[in-house]
Amino acid sequence: MALRVAYDAAHGGRWTSLHGGGREWLWRGPEPGRHEVRPDDAFVDAGGLEECLPTVRGEPDHGEVWSRPWRPAGPGTVVIERPTFTLTRRISDEGGAVVADYRLAADPGYRFVWAAHALLDLSPAARLDAPTGTPTRLHPEAAALLPPGAWPTGDPWLTGPWPAPAGLALDRFGPDDGTALGAVLLDCARVQVLDGIDLLTLELECADQPRSTALWRNLGGWPASGPYRSVGVEPMLGRAFDLADAGPDDAAVVPPAGEVTWRLTISAHRIH
């Protein structure tokens, strides 16, 4: 089924709709004030798909580009310029799929993490399909869900095989249970989300850079002051949420040519 996308260039280039087959795939959050955000403000979780660059967690939270206006640069094309990089995105339709082509220009050696921070509107029956055995990094908030002493002291993550790293089943979203955790499926560039008869496929193409899929599974466990449900399935360049935690192989790196290009393809099908 054909997908259509809408985005808001003036407010961080955020994708505000991903619609097809009579359903909206993007979740909308409860937090007001997204349109009033200024650079360096705290992140406002309005839902949709946020562009996170050059980090997801860390400083600044969710990166530099979500809180700044992008300028139009042609049909379906927007650009944001920062002191250390320029990011261009072009969204097009190819056979009913949404295709987003990116180009990042920066000095050779510039290290970054990028994620398409897509929060999806899914039922408790939905599940995430990825290759069995994919190494998956749990991030520290998962420690509270593990037996005492299971988390390696001082480590930024704990790695185990998908779909149940360290015994935590992550592929099924299920009903709200008061938990919230993040994980990164390493070197996993293609995943599928199955929700009833609907199937959403997300695939990331990029030569010579680490490609992963980040997962944010918040089943009413965050924030502490007023928790709600939100599920993020996030194609990623890199292998860590926080650029500050990224080892030599955990971030994308601009090559001598001074440019990195990548493509995100999102398609939807209905299972009969």
Side-chain angles (χ1 to χ4, degrees):
M1 56 190 178
L3 285 175
R4 295 292 181 267
V5 68
Y7 62 86
D8 186 351
H11 300 96
R14 172 174 164 258
W15 301 32
T16 57
S17 176
L18 184 64
H19 187 273
R23 74 173 287 168
E24 172 60 53
W25 281 99
L26 294 181
W27 171 85
R28 291 179 175 86
E31 297 296 325
R34 181 66 175 80
H35 285 189
E36 288 72 48
V37 165
R38 296 293 180 267
D40 301 321
D41 282 356
F43 182 65
V44 175
D45 195 9
L49 186 156
E50 303 277 9
E51 301 283 357
C52 296
L53 181 85
T55 190
V56 182
R57 299 185 183 182
E59 296 293 337
D61 188 19
H62 289 73
E64 296 182 21
V65 302
W66 73 270
S67 60
R68 291 174 164 85
W70 300 41
R71 62 175 175 84
T77 304
V78 289
V79 177
I80 183 165
E81 295 160 333
R82 300 294 301 134
T84 55
F85 63 83
T86 298
L87 179 65
T88 304
R89 183 190 74 196
R90 178 178 181 269
I91 296 179
S92 58
D93 176 354
E94 291 192 9
V98 170
V99 177
D101 287 301
Y102 296 82
R103 182 176 71 253
L104 181 129
D107 289 341
Y110 180 76
R111 302 176 79 245
F112 67 95
V113 171
W114 164 85
H117 186 278
L119 294 177
L120 303 179
D121 188 7
L122 303 174
S123 77
R127 61 181 176 87
L128 180 62
D129 185 26
T132 299
T134 296
T136 302
R137 284 178 174 168
L138 295 170
H139 282 251
E141 61 273 13
L145 306 178
L146 300 176
W151 192 269
T153 303
D155 286 0
W157 44 66
L158 174 64
T159 305
W162 181 266
L168 295 179
L170 300 184
D171 58 329
R172 297 186 181 274
F173 297 118
D176 291 359
D177 60 9
T179 65
L181 60 84
V184 177
L185 286 73
L186 303 182
D187 306 317
C188 179
R190 181 180 185 272
V191 296
Q192 293 186 305
V193 178
L194 181 64
D195 191 10
I197 61 172
D198 292 328
L199 183 68
L200 189 73
T201 303
L202 304 96
E203 184 167 6
L204 180 61
E205 300 171 77
C206 184
D208 303 320
Q209 302 291 347
R211 297 171 297 160
S212 302
T213 300
L215 171 65
W216 170 242
R217 196 184 71 169
N218 173 26
L219 305 181
W222 185 91
S225 58
Y228 50 83
R229 180 187 180 92
S230 59
V231 173
V233 178
E234 309 171 23
M236 169 187 278
L237 288 182
R239 305 167 86 238
F241 280 119
D242 191 339
L243 182 60
D245 291 334
D249 298 325
D250 293 332
V253 181
V254 175
E259 182 177 283
V260 178
T261 61
W262 64 94
R263 169 173 283 194
L264 172 62
T265 302
I266 305 178
S267 59
H269 300 86
R270 184 150 285 163
I271 302 168
H272 298 288

